[in-house]
Amino acid sequence: MNPKRTQQISEEVRRAISDVIQNKLKDPRVPDIVSVSRVDVTNDLSFAKVYISFFTNEIEEAMQGINSSKGFIKKELSRMVKLRAMPELIFIHDDSIERGLEMNRLINEVNHGNRRDS
């Protein structure tokens, strides 16, 4: 499959999964604020790696909620995105937001330390 087409499908799947999780998923383990940061669909559309960030400290519990809702998410996705075959969803915790916040905190700490030294 054309790499550009695969990229378009990945983005469409990302938007649809994000919508399902935000608006239709009722699992109490999944926090209200969830970010689907990226989706990588294989060329043959058999798998989709879904990278998810959570704004909670209960990441393991949130991932269990997402994984146990995989069938529901896939069913809703098939209604929203018309594909020959729906890819198998693989959810992966994306900690890039947490790492970014930690880096920001460290930078602020260093900057405040430099102001006191001057």
Side-chain angles (χ1 to χ4, degrees):
M1 182 179 285
N2 171 342
K4 188 173 182 176
R5 178 71 180 136
T6 304
Q7 197 173 19
Q8 288 172 332
I9 291 170
S10 293
E11 182 56 27
E12 193 173 339
V13 168
R14 186 196 67 76
R15 278 194 300 267
I17 290 175
S18 183
D19 181 56
V20 170
I21 291 172
Q22 294 291 331
N23 300 314
K24 298 178 181 176
L25 193 62
K26 303 289 188 235
D27 192 310
R29 296 173 290 184
V30 179
D32 292 335
I33 303 174
V34 175
S35 173
V36 179
S37 54
R38 188 174 96 224
V39 172
D40 293 331
V41 177
T42 57
N43 286 338
D44 63 356
L45 303 179
S46 58
F47 293 96
K49 289 183 181 177
V50 182
Y51 295 87
I52 299 182
S53 292
F54 302 100
F55 295 94
T56 181
N57 293 329
E58 306 297 329
I59 292 166
E60 199 171 303
E61 190 175 315
M63 283 299 294
Q64 287 174 353
I66 289 287
N67 280 313
S68 70
S69 302
K70 191 183 289 191
F72 172 76
I73 294 169
K74 191 172 177 178
K75 183 176 76 173
E76 290 297 313
L77 180 63
S78 69
R79 291 180 183 167
M80 300 168 79
V81 179
K82 299 301 177 206
L83 293 173
R84 231 175 330 112
M86 196 52 55
E88 184 63 37
L89 303 177
I90 303 167
F91 292 103
I92 300 168
H93 174 241
D94 179 5
D95 66 349
S96 61
I97 291 175
E98 290 98 346
R99 285 195 324 252
L101 290 172
E102 178 62 14
M103 290 296 259
N104 196 26
R105 186 190 66 75
L106 292 171
I107 290 168
N108 286 336
E109 213 173 88
V110 168
N111 285 339
H112 288 300
N114 288 340
R115 287 190 194 130
R116 281 187 228 123
D117 293 341
S118 305

